[in-house]
Amino acid sequence: MSNALKRKVNRLGIMGGTFDPIHNGHLVAAEMARGEFNLSKVLFIPSGTPPHKNSRDVSAANLRYEMAGLAIKDNPEFDLSALEIERKGLSYTVETLRILRRTWPDYELYFITGTDALLEIFSWREAEEILTMIQFIGAARPGFDASDFLLKVQKEHPETKGRIHYLEVPALAISSTDIRARVRHGQPIRYLLPESVRLFIQQHGLYITEENA
Ligand code: ATP
Ligand code: MG
């Protein structure tokens, strides 16, 4: 085998999200993707002002960033990036990916989403461009079946062949929306997310009122 072929391929996983708050669904998806696709590391990138979430107030970026930091602290292969929260204005994935492409020139980029987000990717700004830059991993999320979507993509976007991967993971029906509602209603959230994040939410009184729910 030639040296070029033997050279280890570096692969960077990218997990974007609002993370309001980060929970075990995010962590399991990222960790399973890391194992399955041999990713050297997974970068968690909390969004700044999310383009798709204008309808409700999202918690301050620094709080979401801090919670993500607490959640990933004990995994040496997880990292946190302030790339999107430090940027002014709306953060579009394509811009973030261009920056990551320049920052990690020797890495193959793998964008990890749940199947709910996977179903939406063609509505993203410059979706076709994104699909030439990176690979996609759609991790199973209860309630969002991607099989019809994947068949359709195969037919209608043959140029994406081999770049969109479906990943079966031990699916967790956990969402940030549900966690926020639980806090608001005084219901338990323990075991849905890391204990450090649960304590942070408690200490900062997050999600107890409507405007942040
Ligand atoms: P919200 O309810 O506020 O939309 P969320 O739980 O969907 O929050 P996001 O921050 O919107 O979390 O999601 C970030 C990424 O993580 C998305 O790609 C989403 O599909 C994925 N994701 C979220 N929850 C899960 C889950 N339980 N299983 C698999 N993937 C998930
Ligand atoms: Mg979501």
Side-chain angles (χ1 to χ4, degrees):
M1 198 187 277
S2 77
N3 273 342
L5 285 177
K6 261 192 288 186
R7 205 175 54 213
K8 185 172 168 292
V9 183
N10 291 313
R11 296 169 164 188
L12 177 71
I14 300 157
M15 184 88 199
T18 317
F19 301 133
D20 193 16
I22 193 164
H23 56 67
N24 290 347
H26 302 128
L27 298 168
V28 166
E31 179 66 356
M32 298 306 135
R34 187 191 66 72
E36 192 64 28
F37 291 85
N38 265 318
L39 309 176
S40 320
K41 62 167 72 222
V42 178
L43 205 53
F44 284 73
I45 312 183
S47 57
T49 310
H52 299 296
K53 293 203 176 173
N54 296 332
S55 52
R56 72 166 181 92
D57 288 331
V58 174
S59 301
N62 65 308
L63 295 173
R64 294 183 287 109
Y65 180 82
E66 245 185 279
M67 289 191 279
L70 290 170
I72 66 164
K73 206 163 74 188
D74 60 0
N75 188 332
E77 273 117 8
F78 283 178
D79 256 325
L80 183 60
S81 164
L83 190 61
E84 289 201 354
I85 68 166
E86 279 171 355
R87 225 166 47 220
K88 296 269 177 301
L90 300 178
S91 28
Y92 286 102
T93 303
V94 67
E95 293 160 12
T96 303
L97 291 172
R98 288 201 177 106
I99 296 170
L100 291 173
R101 183 67 293 157
R102 288 198 296 272
T103 318
W104 304 79
D106 300 330
Y107 280 71
E108 280 179 14
L109 305 183
Y110 284 75
F111 198 88
I112 306 161
T113 69
T115 37
D116 61 314
L118 184 71
L119 299 178
E120 307 280 312
I121 54 174
F122 286 100
S123 72
W124 292 9
R125 179 178 282 205
E126 295 186 57
E128 275 85 9
E129 173 68 12
I130 290 179
L131 282 158
T132 64
M133 295 163 71
I134 57 159
Q135 310 244 352
F136 256 97
I137 303 172
R141 185 170 189 184
F144 301 93
D145 181 359
S147 39
D148 285 350
F149 170 83
L150 291 169
L151 284 174
K152 198 165 154 225
V153 170
Q154 252 177 33
K155 274 206 214 109
E156 293 175 11
H157 297 273
E159 74 283 1
T160 65
K161 193 171 188 300
R163 305 188 72 83
I164 302 180
H165 313 272
Y166 171 68
L167 178 63
E168 199 67 67
V169 298
L172 294 174
I174 302 175
S175 74
S176 304
T177 302
D178 178 57
I179 290 175
R180 294 190 301 270
R182 284 174 168 277
V183 174
R184 202 165 68 248
H185 297 126
Q187 292 163 341
I189 59 169
R190 203 189 284 259
Y191 310 126
L192 298 177
L193 72 184
E195 185 61 2
S196 52
V197 179
R198 188 184 72 82
L199 292 172
F200 186 96
I201 290 170
Q202 207 171 53
Q203 278 154 14
H204 290 77
L206 300 185
Y207 313 130
I208 25 193
T209 57
E210 271 293 343
E211 79 250 16
N212 179 247

